[in-house]
């Protein structure tokens, strides 16, 4: 298996830059969606130490024996992000499929970035494919990582 398949990074998902209110989400609606679709999810409300607004920390099983942890911040309808912590492209893609297909109002309303790429000087976000399964999305995420030298 190539090294890029095992690379762990933080992935951030957000609405389109030109339409930050596209998700029309709140922490309550996000919490409800996680509880509905991921029975046994660990959910904990907290306050962001950086910005002082409410966040929702979570751990969910996105596939059998595949757990991800993350944080969501949606303090206003025009500002939202969800970060997944230390995940492979495959793990992040499993979450991204759920986010795109079950939680946001439009499959074309999700962009993503990774801490690995940002640490290498590229802060350009990529659009999540509006169609395709987790394998297709993982391929795009690996391409994103490879663009910054994770080969």
């Amino acid at each position: 298996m190539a090294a890029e398949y095992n690379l762990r990074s933080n992935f951030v998902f957000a609405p389109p830059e030109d339409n930050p209110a596209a998700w029309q989400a709140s922490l309550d609606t996000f919490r409800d969606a996680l509880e509905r679709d991921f029975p046994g999810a660990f959910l904990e409300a907290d306050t962001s130490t950086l910005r002082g607004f409410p966040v929702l920390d979570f751990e969910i099983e996105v596939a059998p024996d595949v757990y991800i942890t993350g944080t969501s911040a949606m303090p206003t309808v025009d500002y939202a992000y969800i970060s997944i912590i230390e995940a492979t492209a495959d793990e992040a893609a499993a979450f991204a499929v759920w986010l795109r297909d079950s939680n946001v109002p439009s499959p074309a309303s999700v962009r993503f970035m990774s801490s690995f790429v940002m640490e290498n000087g590229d802060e350009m976000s990529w659009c999540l494919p509006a169609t395709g399964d987790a394998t297709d999305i993982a391929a795009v995420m690996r391409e994103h990582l490879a663009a910054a030298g994770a080969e």
Side-chain angles (χ1 to χ4, degrees):
M1 186 177 283
E4 71 219 34
Y5 297 127
N6 294 321
L7 179 69
R8 292 192 168 277
S9 185
N10 298 338
F11 289 89
V12 177
F13 300 95
E17 287 182 278
D18 63 348
N19 187 7
W23 290 0
Q24 291 295 304
S26 69
L27 285 183
D28 290 336
T29 60
F30 186 65
R31 172 189 282 279
D32 292 347
L34 290 173
E35 287 176 335
R36 177 191 68 229
D37 294 339
F38 300 101
F42 169 79
L43 307 169
E44 181 176 54
D46 204 351
T47 301
S48 168
T49 56
L50 294 176
R51 295 192 174 104
F53 50 70
V55 296
L56 178 67
D57 295 328
F58 61 92
E59 181 177 25
I60 56 175
E61 185 177 19
V62 292
D65 296 322
V66 177
Y67 293 87
I68 60 165
T69 58
T71 299
S72 176
M74 299 179 190
T76 65
V77 296
D78 63 348
Y79 180 73
Y81 73 85
I82 301 166
S83 61
I84 302 301
I85 302 163
E86 291 295 309
T88 65
D90 292 325
E91 293 164 349
F95 175 80
V97 167
W98 171 79
L99 178 66
R100 181 196 69 192
D101 296 348
S102 300
N103 194 58
V104 298
S106 166
S109 69
V110 181
R111 64 187 169 101
F112 74 94
M113 296 170 273
S114 71
S115 60
F116 180 84
V117 172
M118 290 171 56
E119 289 167 3
N120 284 288
D122 184 354
E123 294 192 18
M124 177 73 76
S125 61
W126 287 42
C127 291
L128 197 69
T131 61
D133 62 11
T135 301
D136 298 325
I137 291 174
V140 170
M141 291 182 151
R142 282 193 286 278
E143 181 182 341
H144 166 80
L145 294 168
E151 302 181 55

